[in-house]
Amino acid sequence: MKFLCTRCDEVMKLAGAQASEDTVGLTFSCPKCGGSFAMLTNPSETSLVKGLGVQVGGRSEPAPLMEVIQASVERDAEGQIAWDQGAETRLGNVPPFARPMARKAIERFAASKGIRVITPAVMDEARALM
Amino acid sequence: MRMYHDVAGDGGSDIIGQVGKMMERLAGRLSTIKSVIAVASPKGGVGKSTVAAHLAASLARRGARVGALDTDLYGSSLPRLLAPEFAGANAVRGDDGLIPIAGAHGVRVMSLDYLTGYGARASVAWAGATSSITRGPVETSALRELLADTQWGELDYLIVDTPPSVGRLGDVTALIPSLAGVALVTTPTQLSYQVTLKSIERVRALGVPLLGLIENMRGFMCAQCGAPNPVNVEADMGETLSLMGVPPLGALPYDQRLLKPAGEAGPIEAVERIADNLLARIGEHASARA
């Protein structure tokens, strides 16, 4: 995209960029009259552009390794959620090959509810909703 | 007021330049790989990843330098089949990319599992990319990065295991124009054949060599007497495939050894025959191109 100052017919220059978690704010200014505006991208467009692996405003350094993957993949909550003894014992009833996935599913449920410690009651609650 | 083409440049992002650099990086990486082979199937559950893993191990056992890339972003199987001892491991950074995990017989394995920290814990979820519109570009970029940002080194063969459906195959062929070919996997059931035959035209439309068809789960070997038993064989498609110009690469019976990780299974005669046929077909296509 290119931006023209409607007063001066001058190409506006990128003056600054600010990124939040899912949107970007770009400031453009007219080199002639100094007029400026901010373009605020919506989350869907921002996600689409990020997904392509290109950087708005250009790139002066080579892209970091696995940039899109590292930026896009949802982070694991491992280590942030504790399991009490009763919950661990109950998880032991799940066959070993399925245990990591069951653990992850319960942790996701707990994270979505802001629960920090998983107990058998939390497991019941999760199971009821699954 | 001036219009877009009246103003020089592209607005400052140099998107074309950025994409060009991505593709340069990818081309540089692929330049050290002699043959990339995609293992694909339009149908799930036909044992495609098992076939891919055992083929990779077979080639490596012969002394070839082999890589294996799992492009099934949501259901990676190669880590468990080729390097079970590294389940949950994270790939570490080398001089020139992420170092693949050393699997069976030295097969260099890369999967999204080695980047997410999830290991076998859960399937991948993309933050913010929840719709198919936003998820598509992320998936394609992830595939490009797994290819381009992995320090594969010199390889004789890179086996690319694709997810069910030949949709991802389009991404693979777009990213790897030099693809040596596609090996399709099916089971000997009418349903699987019906879907597989449909996909043959799709593979041809992509302009990549169809190396042939592998029939998996074709009967089983009797554990008592060793005789083949044709259970599950609903379809004998030899004549049809011949008419369609699809060479058979071989058949795999149910075999307990195929359930083991590829590094523990030892040589399996049927796999070895398929690997022989695959290499012969790659040679034929390379000669035809030369």
Side-chain angles (χ1 to χ4, degrees):
Chain A
M1 260 186 281
K2 302 169 187 177
F3 299 99
L4 278 183
C5 175
T6 51
R7 272 191 301 220
C8 318
D9 202 32
E10 279 289 323
V11 178
M12 299 190 83
K13 303 287 182 199
L14 182 67
Q18 195 178 337
S20 68
E21 190 184 334
D22 58 356
T23 70
V24 177
L26 299 168
T27 312
F28 291 85
S29 65
C30 173
K32 195 169 178 183
C33 71
S36 67
F37 72 93
M39 182 178 81
L40 311 176
T41 64
N42 73 43
S44 297
E45 286 169 359
T46 310
S47 171
L48 193 64
V49 172
K50 268 165 66 178
L52 293 169
V54 295
Q55 197 159 297
V56 175
R59 199 189 277 284
S60 53
E61 298 288 324
L65 294 175
M66 309 282 182
E67 181 184 41
V68 173
I69 294 174
Q70 298 294 1
S72 306
V73 82
E74 231 170 46
R75 290 293 129 199
D76 204 335
E78 190 178 7
Q80 296 168 15
I81 294 173
W83 288 65
D84 78 2
Q85 190 57 49
E88 284 287 5
T89 303
R90 189 160 162 192
L91 189 67
N93 296 329
V94 175
F97 77 91
R99 212 170 287 155
M101 285 166 270
R103 181 185 289 275
K104 179 70 191 170
I106 302 287
E107 284 183 358
R108 273 202 175 139
F109 167 80
S112 74
K113 299 280 179 191
I115 295 168
R116 312 295 296 177
V117 179
I118 294 170
T119 62
V122 172
M123 294 169 87
D124 284 337
E125 202 184 329
R127 195 173 67 169
L129 289 174
M130 282 176 190
Chain B
M1 188 177 74
R2 288 182 288 170
M3 298 300 286
Y4 185 92
H5 294 293
D6 300 325
V7 177
D10 80 335
S13 293
D14 188 24
I15 300 292
I16 293 171
Q18 288 191 54
V19 172
K21 284 199 168 61
M22 286 176 203
M23 298 318 282
E24 266 173 37
R25 187 189 282 196
L26 176 61
R29 192 68 74 184
L30 293 173
S31 69
T32 63
I33 303 172
K34 288 184 185 162
S35 297
V36 184
I37 303 157
V39 177
S41 170
K43 184 102 175 54
V46 297
K48 183 172 31 61
S49 298
T50 301
V51 170
H54 284 273
L55 278 176
S58 166
L59 296 172
R61 204 187 290 110
R62 298 165 186 223
R65 297 162 299 179
V66 181
L69 173 64
D70 200 326
T71 67
D72 191 341
L73 304 175
Y74 304 102
S76 286
S77 303
L78 290 188
R80 201 181 69 78
L81 291 164
L82 282 165
E85 64 276 32
F86 291 108
N90 280 316
V92 298
R93 194 190 173 108
D95 298 336
D96 184 32
L98 292 192
I99 299 173
I101 299 294
H105 308 293
V107 174
R108 301 166 206 178
V109 189
M110 184 49 79
S111 153
L112 197 56
D113 275 8
Y114 297 138
L115 278 83
T116 57
Y118 289 3
R121 286 166 59 82
S123 66
V124 165
W126 303 110
T130 49
S131 75
S132 58
I133 296 170
T134 50
R135 206 167 48 240
V138 174
E139 289 173 348
T140 307
S141 293
L143 179 56
R144 172 181 53 75
E145 289 181 347
L146 287 170
L147 274 165
D149 291 350
T150 298
Q151 194 174 307
W152 295 109
E154 300 274 340
L155 289 181
D156 296 307
Y157 305 104
L158 175 63
I159 305 289
V160 178
D161 181 25
T162 62
S165 110
V166 288
R168 178 62 46 79
L169 203 52
D171 294 335
V172 172
T173 55
L175 291 169
I176 313 172
S178 59
L179 194 69
V182 178
L184 285 176
V185 181
T186 184
T187 56
T189 61
Q190 289 181 13
L191 181 64
S192 182
Y193 258 110
Q194 199 171 24
V195 181
T196 303
L197 292 176
K198 277 188 197 172
S199 71
I200 287 171
E201 288 314 307
R202 169 73 183 139
V203 172
R204 290 203 164 119
L206 291 170
V208 289
L210 177 57
L211 298 172
L213 191 76
I214 298 166
E215 244 187 9
N216 192 25
M217 307 179 201
R218 187 176 180 88
F220 72 93
M221 307 301 282
C222 175
Q224 267 74 45
C225 66
N229 187 320
V231 69
N232 261 7
V233 178
E234 283 186 344
D236 192 343
M237 301 296 288
E239 179 68 9
T240 309
L241 293 175
S242 170
L243 288 170
M244 293 180 75
V246 182
L249 289 173
L252 288 167
Y254 279 105
D255 187 322
Q256 291 287 327
R257 291 172 295 174
L258 288 167
L259 298 177
K260 293 181 180 175
E264 297 169 23
I268 299 171
E269 309 71 29
V271 173
E272 298 305 313
R273 275 197 299 276
I274 291 171
D276 288 342
N277 291 335
L278 190 67
L279 296 186
R281 291 287 298 163
I282 291 169
E284 286 166 22
H285 279 285
S287 301
R289 271 200 298 257

